[in-house]
Amino acid sequence: TPPAAATATPQKSKKQQQKDQTQRLINIVANSFPPPPAATAATPQTSKKQQQDQTKTTSITDEDAMREARRKRKKLLKNLKAIEKLREMESDGKILNEEQLTKIAKEEEWRAEVESLEHNLK
């Protein structure tokens, strides 16, 4: 007769059971969220035209959303005003730092977002 250990199915160790449980939970969480859009992941560099096409839009359905949209619009207008000042400083010969140049680079995106917010606030 074969030994009892050879005929019985080997039980998983406690560590292996924990790994299996962890992997099961990871799979549940991973499958509960939609996958990221493939178009944005595949093309890290986008042209200005593509950026304009990907402009964020808002849907305003209640008072909280209206209030939030107004706040965001105010913040964006403040940033656009700061960009105007930075451009004046630059034209006066001041050398801008990297953070200031990054802010200037976002001008088009912010203008489009303000336009979208204003459209949705009407």
Side-chain angles (χ1 to χ4, degrees):
T1 63
T7 59
T9 56
Q11 290 192 349
K12 293 183 178 180
S13 69
K14 188 168 186 154
K15 195 170 200 170
Q16 185 60 42
Q17 288 175 344
Q18 288 175 338
K19 282 183 180 180
D20 291 346
Q21 179 70 7
T22 302
Q23 189 59 46
R24 188 180 70 78
L25 292 172
I26 289 171
N27 289 338
I28 289 171
V29 171
N31 293 330
S32 65
F33 294 101
T40 57
T43 57
Q45 295 179 343
T46 57
S47 68
K48 286 187 179 184
K49 175 70 175 146
Q50 288 171 328
Q51 286 176 350
Q52 289 172 349
D53 292 342
Q54 296 173 356
T55 301
K56 298 175 188 171
T57 59
T58 58
S59 57
I60 300 176
T61 56
D62 60 14
E63 284 301 313
D64 289 337
M66 290 283 283
R67 202 172 10 263
E68 185 64 32
R70 285 188 188 110
R71 271 192 216 122
K72 187 166 188 151
R73 179 181 168 273
K74 184 176 180 181
K75 180 182 174 186
L76 289 168
L77 290 174
K78 181 179 174 185
N79 285 338
L80 290 172
K81 190 173 259 190
I83 288 173
E84 288 177 23
K85 289 181 182 180
L86 289 173
R87 288 197 186 276
E88 287 176 22
M89 290 169 48
E90 190 176 36
S91 67
D92 290 343
K94 183 168 192 243
I95 298 175
L96 302 179
N97 65 32
E98 189 174 327
E99 187 177 304
Q100 293 167 324
L101 293 172
T102 303
K103 186 179 253 189
I104 289 174
K106 292 182 179 181
E107 180 180 19
E108 300 250 345
E109 177 186 340
W110 288 343
R111 284 193 189 282
E113 202 167 337
V114 165
E115 193 174 299
S116 172
L117 285 170
E118 288 174 344
H119 172 75
N120 288 315
L121 285 170
K122 291 181 182 178

